[in-house]
Amino acid sequence: MDALHSRLLVSRFADTFRFYAAVLPELTGARLVQGTEDGPYAHWDLDGEGVLMLFDRGAMAQTLGTSGLPAEPPAAQDRTMLVSRVADVDAGFALCLRRGGTAVAAPADRPEWGPSLRTAHLRDPEGNLIELQSYGG
């Protein structure tokens, strides 16, 4: 049973699906258990626990009765971020960029955030902020 997991509501379902289908297995070991790039839903698990779900934003808006509202908010600072601990931040960052991610902050050591912490930041095809992190020896 999934106690709590992330479900991203996306407008660019096919692009976002292809991105996560390409990077989640290598970065986290998660596997696709339901869905295709045709949408409206996809679900990745790791050891029987939900890791990430995608759902078509328009379908959710229709369900909630919010279809008449703007799909995109005005420009603002990020409110959420997906964080994934990875074995190699540099390799994970390169993989994500090859698969359609957009660089935000290149891999860098961040000792002010934690001893031996290394991070990189990028956006998925839908614009969601992702942090890749690792703690060295």
Side-chain angles (χ1 to χ4, degrees):
M1 179 174 97
D2 303 327
L4 181 65
H5 60 267
S6 297
R7 180 175 296 164
L8 299 177
L9 304 177
V10 300
S11 296
R12 296 176 54 195
F13 192 94
D15 292 338
T16 308
F17 175 91
R18 286 190 297 269
F19 173 78
Y20 285 108
V23 303
L24 282 176
E26 188 171 333
L27 292 179
T28 67
R31 66 179 189 81
L32 179 67
V33 294
Q34 184 179 352
T36 70
E37 70 179 54
D38 297 327
Y41 179 79
H43 179 158
W44 286 265
D45 276 7
L46 178 62
D47 298 328
E49 293 290 324
V51 170
L52 182 70
M53 289 72 176
L54 300 179
F55 196 76
D56 180 78
R57 182 180 293 166
M60 182 57 72
Q62 195 169 33
T63 299
L64 301 176
T66 59
S67 296
L69 297 176
E72 299 297 328
Q77 294 180 1
D78 293 285
R79 293 178 55 100
T80 60
M81 176 172 66
L82 298 174
V83 178
S84 180
R85 178 130 353 139
V86 297
D88 184 329
V89 168
D90 297 70
F93 187 69
L95 170 67
C96 289
L97 297 183
R98 282 194 313 273
R99 296 304 189 156
T102 303
V104 174
D109 294 331
R110 304 246 183 246
E112 67 279 13
W113 292 2
S116 70
L117 178 64
R118 186 167 181 78
T119 68
H121 295 86
L122 62 125
R123 294 193 186 281
D124 71 12
E126 186 72 16
N128 295 298
L129 184 61
I130 300 170
E131 177 179 282
L132 304 178
Q133 62 174 228
S134 67
Y135 289 87

